Amino acid sequence: MREGMVIKVGMADLNIAMEPDILTTLGLGSCVGIALYDPIIKIGGLAHIMLPDSTQIKNNENKAKFADTAMQVLLQQMLKQGAKKNRLVAKIAGGAHMFEFKNMDDMMRIGTRNVNAVLQILEEMRIPLIAQDTGDNYGRTIELHTTTGMLRVKTIGHGIREI
């Protein structure tokens, strides 16, 4: 079996990979990393979304930037490669509050809005969320291991978690 490649997913980007490759995205602050995984054929998908809703923004050509459109594109790409929607599971990380201000209104709480949007879309798509590492005030880097479906969450000052 070949050595797994590490495939980087940038900010406002998404990609899919098959076993034994690893999908990774760096620097999730208020952004959310969405990992979808089909454990039978060992295919994973990872999106690094920045904003919850493409319908609120005029310049919305980049589908990977928004939770609503990124999830659709990621799902379609995985289905084309043989994934089955009824086998998919999801894990998410990120959605931090990197900066806290007094009197912060909900519009400023982009991390929370991103997480809530992703949770709602997963529910609408009927894809179960089986693990999450979200919130707080620190950034995360994540790796989706397609061989096992494990999501490794690395933080500065808060260690490494496997979910």
Side-chain angles (χ1 to χ4, degrees):
M1 189 158 138
R2 72 175 172 82
E3 181 89 8
M5 292 188 320
V6 175
I7 300 166
K8 287 192 165 77
V9 174
M11 185 182 283
D13 190 15
L14 56 82
N15 210 335
I16 63 170
M18 303 287 288
E19 175 185 41
D21 296 336
I22 296 169
L23 289 160
T24 186
T25 193
L26 312 172
L28 291 168
S30 60
C31 297
V32 173
I34 306 158
L36 299 181
Y37 184 67
D38 181 330
I40 302 301
I41 64 168
K42 300 191 184 307
I43 184 174
L46 185 64
H48 181 144
I49 63 108
M50 295 173 66
L51 295 167
D53 185 1
S54 65
T55 63
Q56 305 295 310
I57 308 286
K58 282 195 177 77
N59 181 9
N60 62 5
E61 286 81 43
N62 180 356
K63 302 219 178 299
K65 190 174 191 176
F66 306 95
D68 58 342
T69 48
M71 302 273 289
Q72 293 294 335
V73 172
L74 197 59
L75 179 62
Q76 292 311 315
Q77 287 186 9
M78 291 180 71
L79 295 176
K80 270 191 205 144
Q81 292 301 315
K84 297 278 184 262
K85 190 173 170 206
N86 63 340
R87 296 192 304 233
L88 293 178
V89 293
K91 297 179 181 182
I92 65 172
H97 297 287
M98 300 306 288
F99 310 100
E100 197 66 49
F101 304 105
K102 281 193 174 109
N103 308 325
M104 230 167 105
D105 68 359
D106 284 344
M107 280 306 288
M108 293 293 291
R109 295 185 191 281
I110 192 70
T112 301
R113 288 175 50 222
N114 281 339
V115 170
N116 290 342
V118 169
L119 295 175
Q120 182 181 341
I121 294 161
L122 286 170
E123 194 173 303
E124 288 166 7
M125 292 177 143
R126 293 189 169 84
I127 297 173
L129 178 71
I130 59 170
Q132 73 180 68
D133 184 345
T134 57
D136 283 319
N137 63 351
Y138 52 86
R140 296 163 172 88
T141 289
I142 59 175
E143 297 173 351
L144 175 61
H145 293 252
T146 58
T147 303
T148 61
M150 183 265 294
L151 190 68
R152 180 172 286 139
V153 183
K154 300 177 184 177
T155 63
I156 295 173
H158 296 273
I160 297 174
R161 290 183 59 206
E162 295 185 348
I163 62 174

